[in-house]
Amino acid sequence: MTGAREEILARIRRATADLPATAVAVPRAYLRHAPGVDPEDRTAVLDLFAERLGEYGAAVHRTDAAAVAPTLASALPAGRAVVPRGFPAQWLADWSGTALADEPLLTREQLDAADAVVTTCAAAIADSGTLVLDAGPGQGRRAATLLPDLHLCVVRADQVVSAMPEAIGLLDPRRPLTWISGPSATADIEMIRVQGVHGPRRLTVLLVEDSDVSDA
Amino acid sequence: MRTALFVTCLNDTLFPRSGRATVTLLRRLGVQVDFPPAQSCCGQMHWNTGYRAGTARLARHFVDVFGGYDAVVVPSASCGGMPAEAYAVAAESAGDPGLVRAVHEIVPRVHELTTYLTDVLGVEDVGAWFPHRVTYHPTCHSLRAAPLGERPYRLLRAVGGIDLVELPAQEECCGFGGTFSVKNPAVSGAMNADKARHVRATGASVLAAVDNSCLMNIGGRLAKDGAEAGRVVRTMHLVEILARTPEDGPVPGLPLAAEATR
Amino acid sequence: MSRTFVGWPAFPEAAAAATHDERLRANVTRATHTIRGKRARLVAERPDWEDLRDSAAALKDDVLAHLDSYLLQVEEQVTAAGGTVHWARDAAEANALVTALVQATGEQEIVKVKSMLTEEIGLDNALEAAGISARETDLAAAIVQLGDDLPSHVVVPALHRNRAEIREIFVREMGRHGRPAPDGLTDDPPQLAEAARLHLREKFLKARVAVSGANFLVAETGTVVVVESEGNGRMCLTLADTLISVVGIEKVVPTWRDLEVFLQLLARNATGERMSPYTTTFSGVTPGDGPQTFHLVLVDNGRTRALADEVGRQALRCIRCGACMNICPVYERTGGHAYGSVYPGPIGAILNPLLKGPDDPQTASLPYASSLCGACNEVCPVRIRFTDVLLELRHQVAEGDAAVKHPAEKAALRAIGAVMEHPAAWNAAVRAAGTAGPLVPKNRLPGPLGGWTDSRSVPEIPKESFRSWWKRTDGGTR
């Protein structure tokens, strides 16, 4: 298909021959932080994050490092939950369900049959109530956070930035990233929002507020 | 200071009362306005339909007719916007750099009427009296292409006796669009029907705007609907309201504002 | 073969039929008004909205000006990350490429994420002709596919359908393509969504090959970005062994960081959300996670034609948010099918003629499918000046090289223009109009003006023109 490649490139060069070779100047006057929030005011940033998640219909539990295990146990029904490698075991200490390790890799059917998946995340964005998973430790591969119907994500307060421009630089684009803003949803029928289609229909977030000090 | 009235071809032939009202109002405000009779059309119909050569010829004609004036006042936002928005492109398309220069030279002196009143003359209260219920439709051109902003509302609010009511969904196009209404009559008619419905819902006796083209469109529908409903909402260019004084009294045949609000 | 827009009537005819379809009108009006309100609230939340638009427009202009080098960068990065890059000049070439790639896997049924480009090139039909069933998994796209229908909106392709119609389609069609609709299915939206979940879940679990489009393609890193709501995108992008992403060459953004602009604009402007529920970004292949074979098919199909148009090329900035159609008073009254393309509304009115050339009556009618009200200009996240492009395209249709001409219209405007340019002739014409006033029919104007009077009274022509009054009264002084 070299023919197509060369021809398309040649067409582009002909089409843009009238344009200067220099780069177009790009203004960047937009905000670096969430509007109306001082990014240094951690309480305000976390409040915004919790509020925005709540608006999507996600359940938010604010807790501290010492109380993650009991909070998780109360937020996650007993059942079969996928637990990726690197997810701190002590957080599951009070939970009475069955942990499924994804090693060896669970089949799609096994993932589909699981009741839940628990993960950490790579970053979170308060302004849009977004969790970003990069398949790093504690986050699992992408299929594992997709097929179970409940996704519980533990977010450390120091992972929460106020807005997208702060997050983008923290993430590695060469990793597969999943940006999650609330549970799966659709508005394809008469523009009425229906929560829960193909992805997890329930999203639960544990926000660990003093995590800058201690990582569990 | 030589000031010319560019009345526009539509007003000249179909809405001369708007032209006369413009003359009356400007005189009252101390402006001696001239009417160069060689004027014809701004070329908007040609421009909007894609005929740039024809637009360029009318641009040349406009520049020839009005080039000697210090100010050109136009009682239409869309026609008044043509020199600034279209003439240079049309002149370039016609390969006429002299016309391009002439256009750039004349554009700052061409003023849509309400802008001329508020920004050049610096008036809002023009001493008008109009004791009727009025609603105002911001035409697309006056709303978006060359935004007049609050100017028409400020002028209307200063009118004595007026009962100015807000038009619902006012920012929606009436469906005229020049040749659009001819090429796509069904869609245009559907848009117009909604606009007319909103106008009637205000209970206003008069619909005002700064473009008689749009008013002709909406008015055609209002007349048809009104003939069925037994009550026609009249359309009037804004200047026809601004031109009336207490000495003129109420407009014969129109309900008084107090009655209208009943 | 499913329905296509091939041979569709010109806009005025299709639009006239649509305006008389009351159910369609009600569906489209409700949907567009809902989405407008949501968007307005979310946009108002951003004090820097205009700044984001400025950045997005400039970034896209930079991409378009240097598209050759950016595409080579994409190719290099995707290849380095374990993907394979293909180039397709047109729809036929793209369809043949994808068909061959699917055939090489031996699969007969594949899953698809909604992609307007694959709708544009008719990929589903091409695959079907090769014996491959491509199942649409986005709820709206699935409604369109199951109903043997055509998309009417770039974000919500089934926007023209209401819940009762959707239920009827599901009950009738799902069983023919897999798991049937649940017994006793009502038209309650959550129930309909659940039916789609059950119907498609078995397809996701089985699928070995998926086809997607992309919202953005990052040149710097070779990253593909897919924004979606339901999780069907994640299913396709994650569960398949082989992923084929079919992407228009204009989808590039220069750097990873530039996504901070587009991801903040897209969902707000498209659906009135701060972010869509799911955004997936990936670069090539990740061992042990997701598809292990990745093909990127870069498609021209007229984009370089549009790029050569100095005024029209700005249409290639488009990020397919659909805001222009949501705000458009014409689209609101016709729905999307009237435009005869998968790209309806204002963007369709300019993009289709730019991609295809305004050389046939249908495409040439599109630049006139607008009252030039300019509402689309105001909501466009990449600041496309729709009205400028529409006027340019009208000029090309009227006076350019396009095959479609309007000889009668041209002659009429030429004749009117000739009169207007000559004061004596114009004076006489204005006077004649006043004299002719009483002769004008009151109910229906003749010829092409007839449609105008279907819904309007004919304006009265006053006996005395302004210029006659001015002359008679010496400018109102006598």
Side-chain angles (χ1 to χ4, degrees):
Chain A
M1 285 296 140
T2 323
R5 177 181 186 271
E6 296 316 318
E7 188 175 332
I8 291 169
L9 290 170
R11 288 173 181 176
I12 291 168
R13 286 168 190 143
R14 275 198 304 276
T16 55
D18 63 308
L19 293 168
T22 48
V24 174
V26 176
R28 302 245 185 206
Y30 54 85
L31 299 173
R32 309 296 309 163
H33 309 292
V37 174
D38 173 4
E40 300 304 315
D41 181 347
R42 296 303 301 164
T43 308
V45 171
L46 297 182
D47 286 349
L48 180 66
F49 180 53
E51 177 196 318
R52 294 285 150 93
L53 275 169
E55 286 174 24
Y56 290 130
V60 183
H61 301 268
R62 299 176 73 155
T63 181
D64 53 42
V68 172
T71 310
L72 188 149
S74 67
L76 183 67
R80 295 154 58 80
V82 180
V83 180
R85 181 211 289 257
F87 188 86
Q90 66 271 31
W91 287 350
L92 294 167
D94 295 354
W95 179 63
S96 58
T98 307
L100 303 172
D102 195 17
E103 296 168 38
L105 292 183
L106 297 166
T107 64
R108 298 173 188 195
E109 289 71 21
Q110 286 171 319
L111 287 172
D112 190 41
D115 299 305
V117 56
V118 295
T119 71
T120 60
C121 68
I125 304 167
D127 181 49
S128 55
T130 303
L131 312 167
V132 189
L133 274 64
D134 71 355
Q139 299 168 54
R141 61 191 170 113
R142 288 176 288 169
T145 51
L146 177 57
L147 289 169
D149 211 15
L150 167 64
H151 179 190
L152 183 147
C153 184
V154 183
V155 181
R156 299 193 322 260
D158 66 320
Q159 294 181 304
V160 184
V161 297
S162 82
M164 173 75 73
E166 299 165 71
I168 203 99
L170 302 174
L171 297 162
D172 180 356
R174 291 187 166 80
R175 302 184 70 88
L177 302 180
T178 306
W179 309 59
I180 299 170
S181 306
S184 152
T186 185
D188 280 354
I189 303 164
E190 298 183 10
M191 302 311 298
I192 295 164
R193 185 181 161 94
V194 175
Q195 188 178 314
V197 193
H198 303 296
R201 284 183 284 194
R202 284 178 296 154
L203 177 67
T204 298
V205 175
L206 263 58
L207 180 55
V208 187
E209 305 224 20
D210 59 349
S211 55
D212 340 27
V213 191
S214 150
D215 198 8
Chain B
M1 185 81 179
R2 295 187 67 218
T3 304
L5 169 66
F6 173 46
V7 76
T8 80
C9 66
L10 186 79
N11 288 330
D12 195 351
T13 51
L14 292 180
F15 302 96
R17 60 174 203 253
S18 299
R20 294 199 299 270
T22 307
V23 174
T24 304
L25 176 63
L26 291 178
R27 288 243 169 83
R28 197 166 81 218
L29 297 172
V31 178
Q32 284 313 308
V33 66
D34 192 11
F35 176 76
Q39 65 180 273
S40 59
C41 168
C42 66
Q44 191 179 178
M45 185 166 50
H46 293 77
W47 171 252
N48 281 356
T49 319
Y51 295 91
R52 292 198 177 167
T55 312
R57 284 194 293 271
L58 287 166
R60 164 55 68 194
H61 185 63
F62 183 93
V63 166
D64 288 347
V65 171
F66 293 105
Y69 287 92
D70 302 305
V72 184
V73 182
V74 192
S76 161
S78 61
C79 304
M82 276 293 290
E85 294 156 30
Y87 284 3
V89 179
E92 269 165 33
S93 176
D96 188 344
L99 181 55
V100 175
R101 280 193 299 277
V103 166
H104 286 308
E105 201 264 327
I106 202 170
V107 159
R109 292 182 276 133
V110 181
H111 308 283
E112 181 279 329
L113 176 70
T114 59
T115 308
Y116 182 73
L117 294 174
T118 57
D119 296 18
V120 179
L121 299 184
V123 291
E124 277 183 19
D125 184 347
V126 296
W129 192 71
F130 196 84
H132 308 286
R133 177 177 275 204
V134 175
T135 194
Y136 175 78
H137 166 58
T139 61
C140 295
H141 219 96
S142 64
L143 183 68
R144 285 181 278 259
L148 298 183
E150 279 290 300
R151 292 180 186 88
Y153 300 94
R154 294 206 307 260
L155 288 162
L156 278 170
R157 282 195 285 264
V159 172
I162 198 167
D163 175 16
L164 185 65
V165 292
E166 194 177 320
L167 177 64
Q170 55 182 267
E171 68 290 346
E172 253 204 35
C173 178
C174 72
F176 178 60
T179 44
F180 173 74
S181 61
V182 177
K183 286 179 183 280
N184 285 289
V187 188
S188 170
M191 290 162 70
N192 197 17
D194 288 341
K195 179 59 72 179
R197 182 167 50 78
H198 288 308
V199 171
R200 289 195 309 276
T202 64
S205 318
V206 172
L207 170 69
V210 294
D211 279 293
N212 270 330
S213 49
C214 307
L215 285 176
M216 176 175 72
N217 178 53
I218 309 168
R221 179 77 201 202
L222 288 170
K224 200 152 195 154
D225 291 348
E228 287 158 23
R231 180 179 157 273
V232 174
V233 182
R234 275 197 223 178
T235 53
M236 291 175 94
H237 192 289
L238 177 68
V239 72
E240 294 171 44
I241 293 172
L242 300 182
R244 292 190 75 88
T245 58
E247 291 70 46
D248 296 321
V251 178
L254 277 188
L256 292 175
E259 289 175 40
T261 49
R262 186 181 55 203
Chain C
M1 281 286 282
S2 302
R3 289 175 72 199
T4 74
F5 282 116
V6 174
W8 209 255
F11 184 81
E13 191 187 327
T19 57
H20 296 118
D21 183 338
E22 283 181 23
R23 180 165 68 176
L24 173 73
R25 287 275 301 277
N27 293 351
V28 177
T29 299
R30 180 176 48 228
T32 53
H33 283 248
T34 305
I35 204 165
R36 274 183 213 172
K38 286 185 178 177
R39 175 196 173 272
R41 279 192 296 281
L42 266 288
V43 167
E45 209 173 83
R46 294 301 306 216
D48 57 345
W49 186 252
E50 299 306 320
D51 300 318
L52 285 164
R53 294 175 77 201
D54 287 340
S55 303
L59 284 165
K60 278 294 189 180
D61 280 351
D62 183 54
V63 165
L64 295 173
H66 309 99
L67 190 55
D68 53 340
S69 48
Y70 280 124
L71 287 171
L72 291 173
Q73 207 182 350
V74 165
E75 183 184 54
E76 185 187 333
Q77 292 298 318
V78 170
T79 308
T84 309
V85 177
H86 311 263
W87 303 67
R89 281 168 280 217
D90 53 28
E93 195 163 38
N95 289 334
L97 259 166
V98 177
T99 305
L101 290 171
V102 177
Q103 281 170 335
T105 67
E107 290 295 310
Q108 301 286 307
E109 181 169 292
I110 67 166
V111 287
K112 278 187 71 203
V113 201
K114 177 175 88 73
S115 141
M116 296 320 293
L117 173 58
T118 62
E119 298 277 3
E120 171 192 329
I121 63 177
L123 178 63
D124 291 3
N125 279 340
L127 289 170
E128 193 184 322
I132 298 159
S133 170
R135 301 314 300 172
E136 296 291 344
T137 63
D138 167 78
L139 180 52
I143 293 165
V144 167
Q145 188 181 45
L146 287 169
D148 190 22
D149 199 351
L150 290 163
S152 71
H153 189 281
V154 297
V155 175
V156 196
L159 175 138
H160 57 291
R161 296 288 191 192
N162 65 30
R163 61 181 79 185
E165 296 170 272
I166 294 166
R167 177 195 165 274
E168 195 266 322
I169 291 167
F170 280 8
V171 168
R172 192 183 67 224
E173 298 292 335
M174 274 183 170
R176 297 177 52 203
H177 301 279
R179 181 169 172 159
D183 289 338
L185 180 68
T186 73
D187 64 5
D188 185 33
Q191 274 203 28
L192 294 171
E194 171 72 9
R197 176 188 173 92
L198 295 170
H199 178 76
L200 288 168
R201 178 65 56 137
E202 63 175 34
K203 298 195 183 298
F204 289 133
L205 294 179
K206 280 197 312 219
R208 300 292 158 199
V209 180
V211 169
S212 84
N215 294 90
F216 308 102
L217 198 50
V218 182
E220 177 190 34
T221 55
T223 306
V224 174
V225 182
V226 176
V227 179
E228 48 121 4
S229 293
E230 297 163 16
N232 64 303
R234 292 178 67 192
M235 294 279 179
C236 295
L237 300 170
T238 306
L239 295 180
D241 302 326
T242 299
L243 173 63
I244 305 165
S245 294
V246 189
V247 182
I249 54 174
E250 84 285 16
K251 290 284 172 185
V252 176
V253 299
T255 69
W256 171 249
R257 181 196 173 191
D258 299 329
L259 290 177
E260 72 191 22
V261 175
F262 293 101
L263 290 179
Q264 293 199 87
L265 283 167
L266 180 57
R268 278 193 165 80
N269 220 51
T271 52
E273 296 170 293
R274 296 187 181 95
M275 281 277 278
S276 297
Y278 298 131
T279 300
T280 297
T281 67
F282 64 93
S283 309
V285 169
T286 307
D289 190 339
Q292 295 302 294
T293 304
F294 171 62
H295 296 281
L296 175 66
V297 182
L298 296 170
V299 182
D300 179 348
N301 203 35
R303 282 152 182 75
T304 49
R305 190 200 174 282
L307 186 61
D309 190 308
E310 288 180 29
V311 178
R313 61 167 64 114
Q314 59 184 300
L316 296 175
R317 293 179 194 153
C318 177
I319 58 172
R320 309 284 190 265
C321 71
C324 62
M325 50 203 79
N326 298 332
I327 200 79
C328 180
V330 176
Y331 178 92
E332 180 185 334
R333 285 159 184 90
T334 64
H337 293 165
Y339 295 80
S341 159
V342 301
Y343 305 114
I347 188 64
I350 61 173
L351 191 59
N352 292 301
L354 286 164
L355 293 176
K356 301 177 203 168
D359 300 326
D360 66 87
Q362 198 279 329
T363 314
S365 72
L366 292 176
Y368 297 92
S370 165
S371 66
L372 301 176
C373 86
C376 43
N377 295 341
E378 297 190 329
V379 298
C380 179
V382 288
R383 291 200 190 283
I384 296 170
R385 291 278 313 167
F386 290 90
T387 45
D388 289 354
V389 182
L390 288 164
L391 286 167
E392 168 64 23
L393 290 168
R394 290 178 184 193
H395 168 55
Q396 292 175 16
V397 171
E399 295 182 318
D401 301 328
V404 179
K405 297 283 190 271
H406 301 87
E409 171 189 287
K410 190 169 189 169
L413 281 170
R414 178 135 204 142
I416 295 168
V419 170
M420 286 168 164
E421 290 153 37
H422 296 97
W426 176 242
N427 242 320
V430 173
R431 201 155 304 150
T435 316
L439 305 174
V440 172
K442 285 284 167 282
N443 294 321
R444 193 178 160 90
L445 289 173
L449 297 173
W452 210 83
T453 45
D454 284 348
S455 63
R456 303 168 186 85
S457 300
V458 181
E460 300 223 347
I461 302 181
K463 286 199 187 67
E464 186 178 51
S465 66
F466 177 81
R467 63 181 54 235
S468 300
W469 169 81
W470 181 276
K471 195 170 175 202
R472 178 175 61 78
T473 63
D474 196 12
T477 58
R478 287 206 292 261

